[in-house]
Amino acid sequence: MPATDLRVQRTLTALKAAFRTLALKYPRYRDITVKELTTVANINRKTFYLHFDSIDDLAETFIQEGADKILALIDPQDFKQTFSQSGLIFDRLVAYFHRVILLNDDYSFLSRKIHAAVVNGLTATIQTNYNLSPVDAKVCSSFLIHNNLTFFRLYFKGDLGLSLDELKQRVVSLDVYGIQQFFYPNRPLQ
């Protein structure tokens, strides 16, 4: 069957929704079973195995999907303008983050892979917008994505004791001043 078949799309959507539901239920990734996954998705186990070899195989589908969503929120088409609007990227990311899959330590293998895919996607955008070398663009991209994911992880785990507004102020300051210092190392911080 072609991937555009509506039955296939419904099945994949149901499986992904079931995975998200079970990820909220089970903080430990390995506690999710194919039996429970297919029950929640309301599909037959054989149907699951027509599409995926394992739950790990299903989990891998979240990587590019997650990276694409994050890149769309960052708005790589007009990154320079978006980045200049203090806090806009932060607000978009807060509204998106799926706390368990991206921020739960047991699901960190997905988070690391999504992080890498976002860094790769954002590197070209930063390189083009700021006329940087590939290395410098990758450093900037890694800095931004790592900082944001780390702060969100700490915030959602309750490790910071900050309000969302206080978190936003710190993340935006770190992102803007850190990148500004990278681009203009001799300019004093304001």
Side-chain angles (χ1 to χ4, degrees):
M1 274 190 248
T4 57
D5 185 307
L6 290 177
R7 292 173 295 170
V8 171
Q9 288 178 2
R10 280 194 294 269
T11 298
L12 297 177
T13 299
L15 285 169
K16 286 180 179 183
F19 183 85
R20 286 184 186 100
T21 297
L22 293 175
L24 291 169
K25 181 178 179 182
Y26 297 115
R28 290 186 36 217
Y29 170 74
R30 294 291 174 207
D31 290 341
I32 298 174
T33 64
V34 172
K35 181 180 181 184
E36 190 170 10
L37 183 72
T38 55
T39 299
V40 171
N42 196 28
I43 65 162
N44 186 298
R45 282 176 57 99
K46 289 180 183 179
T47 303
F48 173 84
Y49 287 111
L50 283 173
H51 300 283
F52 301 102
D53 293 330
S54 64
I55 291 177
D56 291 333
D57 194 22
L58 169 63
E60 289 286 323
T61 66
F62 286 92
I63 295 165
Q64 195 58 50
E65 177 184 298
D68 289 345
K69 285 182 182 178
I70 291 170
L71 286 168
L73 293 171
I74 294 171
D75 193 17
Q77 289 74 33
D78 198 3
F79 179 78
K80 205 170 197 176
Q81 181 181 351
T82 301
F83 190 72
S84 70
Q85 297 175 20
S86 182
L88 182 60
I89 293 172
F90 179 91
D91 292 338
R92 291 175 179 174
L93 291 174
V94 165
Y96 165 73
F97 274 114
H98 189 286
R99 296 176 189 169
V100 174
I101 292 176
L102 285 178
L103 304 176
N104 180 308
D105 289 338
D106 201 57
Y107 294 82
S108 63
F109 69 99
L110 285 175
S111 180
R112 284 189 307 273
K113 289 179 179 184
I114 292 170
H115 174 166
V118 172
V119 166
N120 288 335
L122 190 56
T123 296
T125 299
I126 289 176
Q127 183 179 359
T128 301
N129 279 274
Y130 293 95
N131 198 26
L132 296 176
S133 72
V135 170
D136 288 344
K138 187 152 192 150
V139 167
C140 288
S141 177
S142 296
F143 175 83
L144 289 170
I145 300 307
H146 180 77
N147 285 343
N148 283 280
L149 284 177
T150 298
F151 273 109
F152 281 119
R153 179 177 287 117
L154 292 170
Y155 174 78
F156 287 123
K157 286 176 69 177
D159 291 347
L160 294 178
L162 298 173
S163 71
L164 192 57
D165 286 337
E166 292 169 322
L167 176 72
K168 179 179 179 177
Q169 178 185 358
R170 284 171 172 81
V171 170
V172 169
S173 292
L174 181 62
D175 287 348
V176 170
Y177 291 120
I179 294 297
Q180 181 183 59
Q181 283 302 110
F182 187 80
F183 292 142
Y184 311 105
N186 297 322
R187 181 186 290 177
L189 289 175
Q190 298 176 359

